Amino acid sequence: MALLQISEPGLSAAPHQHRLAVGIDLGTTNSLVASVISGTASVLRDEAGRSLLPSVVHYLADGQVETGHIALAQQTGDALNTIASAKRLMGRGLSDVVDQHQIPYRLIDSPGMVSIATTAGPKSPVEIGAEILKTLRLRAEAALGGELTGAVITVPAYFDDAQRQATKDAARLAGLTVLRLLNEPTAAAIAYGLDNAAEGIYAVYDLGGGTFDISILKLSRGIFEVLSTNGDSALGGDDFDRAIAGWVMAQLALPPLDAHDMQHLLTQARAAKEALSVEPVARIQVGLSHGGTIDTLLNRDTFETITAELVARTLKPTRKALRDAKLNIDAVKGVVLVGGSTRMLHVRRAVADFFRQTPLSDVDPDQVVALGAAMQANVLAGNRGNDDWLLLDINPLSLGIETMGGLVEKIIPRNATIPIAQAQEFTTFKDGQTAMSFHVLQGERELVSDCRSLARFELRGIPAMVAGAARIRVTLQVDADGLLSVSAREQSTGIETSVIVKPSYGLSDTHVAQMLQDAYGKADSDMQVRMLREAQVDARRLLDATDAAIHQDGDALLTPVERQLLSHAMYALAEVLETGGADSLKALKQASETLNQATQNFAARRMDASIQQALTGHKLTELG
Amino acid sequence: MSVTLTERAAQRISSFIEKRGKGVGLRLAVKTSGCSGLAYAIEFADESAPDDLLFESHGVTVLIDPKSHVFLAGTELDFVREGLNEGFKFNNPNVKDQCGCGESFKV
């Protein structure tokens, strides 16, 4: 007997058609899965009642794979085959990995992404992430009693397109349909219902096990925009554990411990750290392998003193993020705490002092990202009414295609809400042209050289036609995750080619702001250049067309004098085209006009001749 | 005949409604669909319709439209846990036959 959940009014599903959707927080240290059940977002637990799944995968020689707590237990015993923190390598090439010596695995450079050598063969971060996601998927299916419709997976706001694509690939490999990727700070803000709150600036302070991230978000019209991010990828709760362990060793003047004892001490240090968020004093007891014992008390004041420097280290990136967003502390309307380490009282106090307000902390900081993702997944799966919010993103910079003359034809404008698809028709420039090369660009300026190049591709096999006769439809589509796909299709034959462009993110917000600034400042001169380039393109087209016509009909339809006149006009135009500088627009237009005039009689005669030719051999009645 | 909630079910429903922040009670209905002909629907109720039959059970108002009530009279709604999955279950004395999964039934 299936168990039923309460639906929103009018939205109860037909039998066997439950739209089960989950939110997944795929973390560096731990991962979680959550879902909205009977209207309430809650984290789904495993058989043992645990909500956190350590993001650790253990590969065995026989091809078996262990994940989570079981894998974590192997970390000391089989370190080379127990992969933790694979998220740091997601979508990264070997050359991108800066702190290679700190990674205890054997890294292999594979095309596109680094891999890790394990006893079960090379494993890419995508495959490792997929194992974690698969475990979470199975947990969710057991808890929700059915197959999942889809999932929203969170990623750090600073992830670039390659990292986002890798995360999506991992999800697909794990058998999940990705409804969309969601920025972690945005998910946290959603969990607090800030998307329904007053518009304004919000800060998300995320101190996890091994990483620190600060994000500044701007909410306007229900849309969160990430204004800036900063952080420290090597600062987290683990550093606090190590600080306690160091203090214990110094206090008791202990000789260096072996790896096993050290691991024990760190575990106890962690327990003490957690206890000190509730109790004023914690006891640290460790039985050492050679017989001795550690037994000492740590009070809250001492703990806060020995870790004050770590807390202070989070404030520098925070200050920088605000500066990057060009904001004062007073502009921040609310602060959200994310990550288990924000339970520490002195961390909370530091954040409160810094932002001069009490941070939001009533949602479990370990769960808040997954809960927000679950709420978003619930909406995207269609379990909420139409009047409810649907989180939208915007396209930060215009997207377009290069046209003749080095100009950019914008197809998707800046600030368009995504997902979006826009198409425009282009045509051939030369007679008999059978291929077309496309250059996809991003930016607000008029010239290709001032915009950011995203991709190039070619459409081949266009049937030979006169210039301007072919119709090539170019479609630009930005999906909900900001990934851009571009396709070009020749309308008469249906031949098509397409490209998926990865780096539509890749730009920092400051970079975007700079590009916009340039565009505004140079709008006038850009327009001048655009007009000149257009005139040049027109002139070339006119020269080509005249040349072709003379070649074809010049002998039959032109007197030698006329022919000479035409040649003069063509020469004059070519001269301006070749030698004219940036201010030759007027001269160019004049020369084009002169040539146009000169060809008028010729064009009329050609028209007559072709009609005559068409009529020859036909009776008048046939033409009815 | 009335429709009742077990105490456990009523507690869950109250807490769900409280977390949701609005709602006058729980609406139970029977729809004509599903592999065995009829299917249960269970939804939050934001308002009651004039024809609704109202039942009070452990402090929770249950709303049922008269057409559905024909199939639901005497039903007890329970909240149960099966492995990792937990949810609501209908103990409906009118049911003669149901599909394997129990999501739809015949009377």
Side-chain angles (χ1 to χ4, degrees), chain A residues 14 18 32 68 95 109 178 184 186 189 199 209 225 262 390 469 488 491-492 518 553-554 570 586 592:
Chain A
H18 297 286
L32 294 97
S95 52
D109 198 9
V178 182
E184 288 162 8
T186 306
E199 303 196 338
E225 191 188 340
M262 195 61 200
L390 177 64
Q491 296 293 72
S492 65
D518 287 352
D553 296 327
M570 283 173 74
K586 216 172 148 194
S592 290

Side-chain angles (χ1 to χ4, degrees), chain A residues 2 4-5 8 12 16 18, chain B residues 20 43-44 86 88 101 103:
Chain A
L4 302 169
Q5 309 297 343
E8 286 296 312
S12 52
H16 317 295
H18 297 286
Chain B
R20 185 169 174 266
E43 298 175 355
F44 292 110
E86 46 183 22
F88 294 94
C101 64
E103 281 190 55

Side-chain angles (χ1 to χ4, degrees), chain B residues 11 22 29 35-36 53 55 58 61 69 71 74 79 84 88:
Chain B
Q11 268 173 13
K22 59 173 182 180
C35 46
S36 293
L53 298 164
F55 301 96
H58 298 288
T61 307
H69 184 253
F71 304 104
F79 188 85
L84 285 180
F88 294 94

Side-chain angles (χ1 to χ4, degrees), chain A residues 204-221:
Chain A
V204 180
Y205 178 101
D206 180 351
L207 187 59
T211 54
F212 169 67
D213 294 306
I214 177 83
S215 311
I216 309 295
L217 305 181
K218 181 177 162 192
L219 173 69
S220 56
R221 286 176 296 146

